[in-house]
């Protein structure tokens, strides 16, 4: 192909032959990973004119996930593996995958087949029609406990109410990103990687395709309640300063109540004799103020902690091994 022809091909890459990367974060997914690979490859046959590369990110698995991924890469020229030096967490594994991806479009999908790979051809079709971000909108969540569904619902509503970026409800990380969006994300240095929020922040033309979230095929969730809760806090604190505002309101209410207390104290002092009334009110006031202050310190501490994390400027993840990339390490 001549230089001019290759430039033209790059410009029209959405409609003609294009390079599509699929990023799959994996943490202890030995039970499902081979099945995932087969399903992915099978589903990709429905996409015309695309060279599909699958990039698995091993997020410090302690089971046989990494050797299995190496074997998959050995048997498939268009499969690559990025292995992180330890478990960094889902959002960092995704970040590592996006950094490693070079395609015209990148799809991010979980390893456990909860997001059906068969939806990807629809995403690609929407992208070819001009969308820059195509996210998967869950119409139902099968095989998840009522508790998980309930807390997820609450979380998305809170986020929509408090967040600055309008993060759509019921959207996970299953999505297609155009090259330009991937570049934008890669340019974001922040540690607080609540990717679905960063994607909304990035802008561009964003569209949704709906799908039914399936039960996990094998293995178990890596997000017990504790981790889910901390993820939810990340989502809220890194996209909203509303909690800080609430602290100010709380302070205002406490001050008003204190004023009432002061007037009452003067009244007792000036117009009554002998008795020592008001000890209950004092106790209540002390406890109330103590609670308000600790809560406020906690909220401020959340932000200070985040600032501390950011200023250290550590890398977001550490790669220990790359398999199937041309340049080797
Ligand atoms: N994952 C990861 N690092 C982690 C936890 C999870 O890379 O520390 C991966 C995991 O292998 C899966 C995806 O992130 O591909 C989503 O995790 P999981 O299915 O456990 O979350 P859930 O669907 O239960 O929210
Ligand atoms: Mg899952």
């Amino acid at each position: 192909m001549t230089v001019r022809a290759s430039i033209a091909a790059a410009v029209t890459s959405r409609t003609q032959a294009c390079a599509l990367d699929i990023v799959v974060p994996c943490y202890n997914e030995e039970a499902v990973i081979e099945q995932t690979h087969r399903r992915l490859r099978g589903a990709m046959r429905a996409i015309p004119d695309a060279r599909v590369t699958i990039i698995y990110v091993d997020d410090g698995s302690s089971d046989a996930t990494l050797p299995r991924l190496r074997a998959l890469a050995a048997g498939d020229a268009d499969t690559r593996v990025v292995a992180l030096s330890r478990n960094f967490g889902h959002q960092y594994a995704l970040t590592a995958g996006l950094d490693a991806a070079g395609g015209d479009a990148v799809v991010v999908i979980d390893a456990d087949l909860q997001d059906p790979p068969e939806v990807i051809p629809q995403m690609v079709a929407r992208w070819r029609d001009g969308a820059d971000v195509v996210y998967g909108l869950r119409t139902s969540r099968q095989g998840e406990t009522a508790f998980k569904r309930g807390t997820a619902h609450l979380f998305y509503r809170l986020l929509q109410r408090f967040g600055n970026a309008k993060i759509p409800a019921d959207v996970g990380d299953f999505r297609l990103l155009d090259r330009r969006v991937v570049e934008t994300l890669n340019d974001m240095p922040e540690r607080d990687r609540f990717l679905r929020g960063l994607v909304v922040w990035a802008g561009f033309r964003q569209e949704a395709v709906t799908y039914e979230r399936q039960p996990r095929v094998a293995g178990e969730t890596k997000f017990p309640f504790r981790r889910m809760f901390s993820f939810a806090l990340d989502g809220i604190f890194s996209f909203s300063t509303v909690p800080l505002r609430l602290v100010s309101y709380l302070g205002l209410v406490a001050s008003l109540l204190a004023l009432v207390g002061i007037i009452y104290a003067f009244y007792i002092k000036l117009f009554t004799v002998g008795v020592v009334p008001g000890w209950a009110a004092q106790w209540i006031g002390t406890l109330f103020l103590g609670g308000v202050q600790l809560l406020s310190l906690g909220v401020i501490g959340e932000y200070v902690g985040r600032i501390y994390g950011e200023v250290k400027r550590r890398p977001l993840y550490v790669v220990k091994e790359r398999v199937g990339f041309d340049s080797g390490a």
Side-chain angles (χ1 to χ4, degrees), residues 262-274:
I262 289 167
I263 293 170
Y264 175 69
F266 268 115
Y267 170 79
I268 295 292
K269 180 86 190 150
L270 295 178
F271 300 108
T272 58
V273 271

Side-chain angles (χ1 to χ4, degrees), residues 29 110 112-114 144 148 213 216 221-222:
E29 301 286 6
D110 283 354
D112 57 5
L113 295 174
Q114 281 197 283
E144 290 185 338
K148 174 138 187 180
R213 183 124 160 118
R216 203 172 225 286
T221 176
K222 277 65 184 188

Side-chain angles (χ1 to χ4, degrees), residues 52-120:
V52 180
T53 306
I54 304 180
I55 302 176
Y56 292 103
V57 181
D58 176 58
D59 188 15
S61 297
S62 52
D63 65 359
T65 301
L66 183 55
R68 286 191 189 178
L69 290 177
R70 283 197 203 105
L72 288 176
D76 180 341
D78 289 325
T79 293
R80 293 166 190 178
V81 182
V82 176
L84 304 187
S85 62
R86 63 170 169 87
N87 179 240
F88 280 85
H90 186 200
Q91 302 290 304
Y92 297 95
L94 285 182
T95 303
L98 290 179
D99 281 342
D104 304 311
V106 181
V107 172
V108 171
I109 187 170
D110 283 354
D112 57 5
L113 295 174
Q114 281 197 283
D115 312 320
E118 290 71 27
V119 177
I120 297 176

